[in-house]
Amino acid sequence: MSEKQLGKVDFEIIRYSNCWEDADVLLKGLNVDQNSTIMSIASAGDNCFSLASTGVRKVIAFDISLVQLHLVELKMEAIRQLNREEYMGFAGIREASSRLDTYAIIREKLSEKCKFYWDQNIDAISLGVIHAGKFEQYFQTFKMNFLHTVHSQGLVDQLLAEKSEEEQLKFHDDIWNSAEWEILYKDYFGEKTLGDKGRDPEFLKHVEGSVAEMNLRRAKRHLRTKMAQENYFLNYILNNRFNADLPHYVRQENFSNVKRNLDRVELHHGLLDSALECYPNCTHFNLSDIFEYMDEDLFSIVGNQIIENSAPQAKIAYWNLLIERNLANVLPKKLNFDLDNCKILSASDLGYFYRAFIVNSKV
């Protein structure tokens, strides 16, 4: 994203209170080990925690938004001080009645700037911080104000209920995928509403083609499969909560490893270029979908910056959402791309709204 575009984006709000990229796919794609030093977009912190859980040397969680880093710091301190069930209650993954009391305990260990921010935003603590982001509120509005006009809660439950692949496809095609559903989906997840209410209009500046049609096509493809039945992203979109299926970092088998390795996560306030300057020679990168926000010239410039400031054979992972971006196409002599492996990983991605998951490696 250019400096001109950055100036138009509000970074004083929580944009994402959950990470909306599939951590399981990310971990498979990067294939980190104990010698890995990872540079990762902080976002809501979840995928940084998942990366740290593997016992890597360090995770540098960078973000231009200080507010997002306040969210990550709060989650980190909550994970340190609480057990898994307590954390899920405090964060909003499960019901809880004493979030403010819990915050009073956690607060003592937060930095002064972080304390000040959350003291001024205590309602987000009461709500459960995983529900506080602009993107999450976008889905909450969809559920509360619009979804019921075309599908009852009973039909939502049926869509997500366990059944065979054939039964899922038939239910989708015969019952779920009505003309009313398509109209609603294209309107709510089209360029204007998504830009204004979900993300930001500046994030869609370089998109070509119909955002509504692309999003509907991907939803159709996913909702016709059994993967939809166990998709925690989809459950949040349709029910505004997580049920038995959870993000990677809070699953029973992962949470203790997250807690054990949290000290490996280091926060950095700034853009990628400043993070590269402060932390050269990283071996792995998790860059979410940041290249969506760049024109082709800036995309190439940033790609070269990563190559020049990273370790030999470094791996760079990122997602395509609405725009096709592959660093290996613009820097073919410097980066490799395993198309077959990325097709496999993309096919297993619960983030069905993404176009593709890309991993490049330095030559």
Side-chain angles (χ1 to χ4, degrees):
M1 183 176 288
S2 68
E3 289 186 11
K4 183 177 180 181
Q5 283 179 282
L6 286 172
K8 296 179 181 179
V9 177
D10 183 3
F11 292 108
E12 299 301 315
I13 61 170
I14 296 175
R15 290 199 163 272
Y16 308 100
S17 48
N18 300 275
C19 284
W20 290 87
E21 300 88 20
D22 190 334
D24 293 281
V25 169
L26 177 64
L27 290 170
K28 289 175 185 176
L30 285 181
N31 192 27
V32 298
D33 59 35
Q34 292 182 343
N35 295 314
S36 301
T37 300
I38 307 166
M39 185 168 291
S40 174
I41 285 190
S43 184
D46 310 350
N47 288 357
C48 296
F49 306 153
S50 291
L51 289 164
S53 74
T54 62
V56 297
R57 182 176 293 165
K58 183 180 287 188
V59 178
I60 298 100
F62 75 95
D63 211 292
I64 188 176
S65 169
L66 190 57
V67 172
Q68 290 293 151
L69 294 178
H70 291 331
L71 173 64
V72 178
E73 183 180 342
L74 178 70
K75 285 185 176 181
M76 288 175 68
E77 198 53 49
I79 291 170
R80 284 193 182 99
Q81 296 195 41
L82 305 175
N83 64 36
R84 178 171 173 267
E85 290 302 317
E86 290 168 339
Y87 173 79
M88 290 198 293
F90 173 73
I93 298 169
R94 297 288 182 260
E95 294 297 322
S97 59
S98 57
R99 291 191 182 111
L100 296 185
D101 292 340
T102 304
Y103 171 64
I105 298 169
I106 294 168
R107 182 184 181 279
E108 298 306 311
K109 297 291 185 179
L110 298 176
S111 67
E112 290 304 316
K113 288 183 178 180
C114 189
K115 284 180 189 177
F116 181 81
Y117 175 80
W118 289 112
D119 288 351
Q120 303 304 309
N121 291 275
I122 205 71
D123 288 347
I125 300 285
S126 298
L127 177 69
V129 291
I130 71 155
H131 306 296
K134 178 181 178 181
F135 203 49
E136 286 72 21
Q137 290 169 6
Y138 172 64
F139 293 133
Q140 291 159 24
T141 300
F142 176 68
K143 168 68 175 178
M144 292 186 292
N145 296 349
F146 296 100
L147 180 57
H148 67 88
T149 66
V150 299
H151 288 320
S152 67
Q153 183 61 47
L155 286 183
V156 172
D157 294 342
Q158 288 182 57
L159 177 74
L160 301 177
E162 184 177 356
K163 47 190 166 311
S164 69
E165 196 81 36
E166 294 76 16
E167 290 170 333
Q168 182 77 17
L169 188 152
K170 182 174 175 57
F171 178 82
H172 174 272
D173 289 357
D174 293 351
I175 299 174
W176 185 268
N177 194 45
S178 63
E180 293 80 7
W181 164 255
E182 289 198 3
I183 291 169
L184 171 62
Y185 202 90
K186 287 196 291 185
D187 179 63
Y188 200 80
F189 295 100
E191 182 172 354
K192 179 168 177 48
T193 308
L194 177 61
D196 291 343
K197 305 296 184 183
R199 292 166 68 82
D200 190 283
E202 292 298 317
F203 294 171
L204 306 177
K205 284 289 187 183
H206 302 293
V207 178
E208 296 180 358
S210 170
V211 172
E213 291 291 346
M214 283 188 276
N215 283 335
L216 178 62
R217 184 166 61 249
R218 291 170 196 168
K220 280 185 177 181
R221 184 170 61 237
H222 186 74
L223 268 57
R224 297 173 97 229
T225 71
K226 279 180 66 67
M227 286 176 63
Q229 300 165 20
E230 299 178 347
N231 188 334
Y232 56 91
F233 294 130
L234 180 63
N235 198 78
Y236 194 95
I237 292 168
L238 297 181
N239 284 318
N240 295 164
R241 64 179 184 271
F242 299 125
N243 284 344
D245 301 302
L246 295 168
H248 177 276
Y249 83 105
V250 286
R251 293 176 200 157
Q252 182 75 52
E253 65 271 24
N254 300 326
F255 188 79
S256 61
N257 288 330
V258 170
K259 182 187 282 281
R260 185 181 307 115
N261 291 293
L262 265 187
D263 289 343
R264 299 168 195 258
V265 179
E266 186 169 336
L267 305 185
H268 175 83
H269 182 213
L271 290 168
L272 177 59
D273 56 356
S274 73
L276 288 168
E277 183 178 347
C278 292
Y279 302 93
N281 300 313
C282 288
T283 60
H284 297 78
F285 293 80
N286 163 36
L287 299 181
S288 181
D289 61 353
I290 64 168
F291 298 134
E292 297 273 320
Y293 317 144
M294 303 177 187
D295 60 30
E296 292 184 359
D297 289 340
L298 183 57
F299 175 53
S300 179
I301 291 169
V302 173
N304 272 306
Q305 288 176 338
I306 296 169
I307 290 166
E308 292 167 4
N309 293 280
S310 58
Q313 299 179 316
K315 286 187 175 182
I316 308 161
Y318 51 97
W319 276 262
N320 286 181
L321 181 60
L322 298 168
I323 302 173
E324 186 174 357
R325 291 278 189 260
N326 190 331
L327 285 170
N329 292 341
V330 295
L331 302 167
K333 296 181 180 179
K334 299 179 179 180
L335 292 168
N336 291 320
F337 172 58
D338 186 341
L339 175 61
D340 291 338
N341 185 48
C342 285
K343 281 184 175 179
I344 292 170
L345 291 171
S346 295
S348 67
D349 195 341
L350 293 180
Y352 63 90
F353 27 80
Y354 283 106
R355 180 179 192 142
F357 175 67
I358 307 293
V359 180
N360 299 129
S361 55
K362 282 177 66 171
V363 174

